Amino acid sequence: MAYFHGVHTSEQATSVLAPVQVAAGLPVIIGTAPVHLAEDGAVNTPVICYSYQEAVSQLGYSKDWASYTLCEAIYSEFQLYAVSPVIFINVLDPAKHKTAVTDSTGHSVSKEKTVTLTDPVILSTLQVKPSAGGAAATAETDYVAAYDDDGNCVITILEDGTLGEAETVYCDYDKVDPSAVTSDDIIGGVGSDGNTTGLELINNVYPMLAQVPGLLLAPGWSEDPEVMAVMVAKASNINGLFKCLVLTDINTAQVKKYADVNMWKNGNNYTGTDQVVCWPMVRQGDDIYHLSTALAGVIGVTDSNNSDVPYKSPSNERLQATGLCLTDGTEVVLGLEQANLLNSQGICTGLNFNGGWKTWGNFTGCYPSNTDVKDMYIAVRRMFNWDAATFILTMWQMVDKPLTKRFVQTVVDTEQIRLNGLVSRGFLLGARVEYREDENPVTDMLNGIFRIHKYFTPPVPAQEIEEIAEYDVDNLQSLFETA
């Protein structure tokens, strides 16, 4: 050591690490959006939105939820349940999913010098002509085209342009065709050009946005068994590290009675551990939502009320709904017995029994064939997923540090202190962390492999509360007592 004369200090790394915060119920929602109406028009890329306005700016918005499935989720998440952030992945690409329109009959110009096209026009392809075979006029010189609040394309004829005296104009254009989007677009993959699309993009969420998915949805698409299977597979191995819960729907166009739901569920293999199966749909006024969409909102609100710790089941929580229905609007009426039957089959539903409309169901799709407590309960499964993500991200900074006694103690103490905090706040019933010699053989340690063993107990939902009442004959003796 070099000679020193005086007083000095040094620092040593803190022996306990601050845990990384992970959003437990962060939804990743994949589907189609009217990006031709958006300022930015995000296609096949995860976009994170914190408000309704931000979502509309990046994805557009339309009340045609059947064609633009993400719009249902945009409205539900931000307007009905007021939760954020939400990550959206739009697969509708106007450059690919389009249809050419040739105008042979013409459109009359109004006295306000406007023409309105109700088709979802791709503005960059629009050609406005004085006759069917005429030369196209020049945008911004002869006319101006823009979308109105209803998504219509409004063409305003400029008086000084070549169309100034025209009473009829002919409009050729390409229009967005949502019907051209197929399940293959939702499933996606990695193309020969290296571009990633569809569900494969869930692996891009953390690298791009530093957010771990908590929920995965595809309203309007998850009722397709092929899409569902890929959703479950992707959600169980995100970036080779994380897991999230998949919210799926049973097809209400095919399954119209509660008695037929279980056969469809099992027949189409909607039985995943990290999967919630929903039936039927919900109505809020004149709007119809997939139950998976509504459940995502309920989960967001429930987590928010519990410090973003997913220990509370989303069952028996307020559902923004005025009824249950099928996709065609047909009302579905479920009593407690019918709703409980669905629950016993691993299906979540809605119930209006006491206190208004509530979500109803605690089990994941694997129930009743799998009764492992960590797998069958939604809340417990989510706690395991959330806890694993928190541990991974907290301890990532320890990777490749020397495997010493201090290293072992830092990992064990950090995790034990974090778990003790969860226990003290009532989120866990108990927890302990052990470094066990039998689980760390010398051969593994020589390869740099280090293990700790964690025991922790999230509470299960109290889904059956029973009072045992008995007539107490001893109290008859009070009749013989004198005043």
Side-chain angles (χ1 to χ4, degrees), residues 100 127 158 187 189 236 270 421:
Q127 293 185 343
L158 301 179
I187 292 170
S236 66
Y270 279 57

Side-chain angles (χ1 to χ4, degrees), residues 379-400:
V380 178
R381 183 64 257 161
R382 293 188 66 221
M383 280 293 283
F384 268 75
N385 291 350
W386 171 78
D387 181 80
T390 303
F391 177 80
I392 289 168
L393 295 180
T394 300
M395 293 303 168
W396 199 264
Q397 59 194 297
M398 300 296 287
V399 173
D400 293 334

Side-chain angles (χ1 to χ4, degrees), residues 3 173 261:
Y3 173 77
Y173 52 85
V261 175

Side-chain angles (χ1 to χ4, degrees), residues 25-33 42 44-49 55 59 68-78 81 83-92 186 198-199 201-202 205 209 213-222 227 231 244-247 249 289-290 292-298 300:
L26 176 67
V28 177
I29 309 177
I30 187 169
T32 54
N44 273 310
T45 186
V47 293
I48 188 166
C49 301
L59 299 164
Y68 306 108
T69 58
L70 288 182
C71 293
E72 172 191 324
I74 289 172
Y75 193 87
S76 178
E77 290 289 295
F78 295 119
Y81 292 95
V83 293
S84 68
V86 182
I87 294 174
F88 297 99
I89 300 174
N90 163 60
V91 304
L92 189 153
I186 299 294
L199 283 167
L201 286 163
I202 194 171
V205 170
L209 304 173
L215 305 171
L216 178 60
L217 296 80
W221 295 97
S222 66
V227 172
M231 291 175 67
C244 76
L245 198 68
V246 180
L247 306 185
D249 295 289
Y289 299 80
H290 292 86
S292 65
T293 302
L295 184 58
V298 171

Side-chain angles (χ1 to χ4, degrees), residues 91-113:
V91 304
L92 189 153
D93 185 353
K96 173 183 176 183
H97 305 112
K98 62 182 180 179
T99 300
V101 175
T102 301
D103 185 1
S104 59
T105 58
H107 291 78
S108 297
V109 178
S110 72
K111 62 181 180 179
E112 291 83 13
K113 292 293 184 179

Side-chain angles (χ1 to χ4, degrees), residues 232-279:
V232 172
K234 295 299 180 184
S236 66
N237 188 27
I238 303 171
N239 300 122
L241 298 170
F242 309 117
K243 292 183 177 183
C244 76
L245 198 68
V246 180
L247 306 185
T248 59
D249 295 289
I250 286 178
N251 191 327
T252 61
Q254 298 178 14
V255 183
K256 301 182 178 182
K257 298 185 295 183
Y258 81 93
D260 298 332
V261 175
N262 189 50
M263 181 175 293
W264 195 97
K265 174 202 170 189
N266 291 323
N268 290 283
N269 207 30
Y270 279 57
T271 55
T273 297
D274 289 295
Q275 178 181 13
V276 177
V277 184
C278 302
W279 186 89

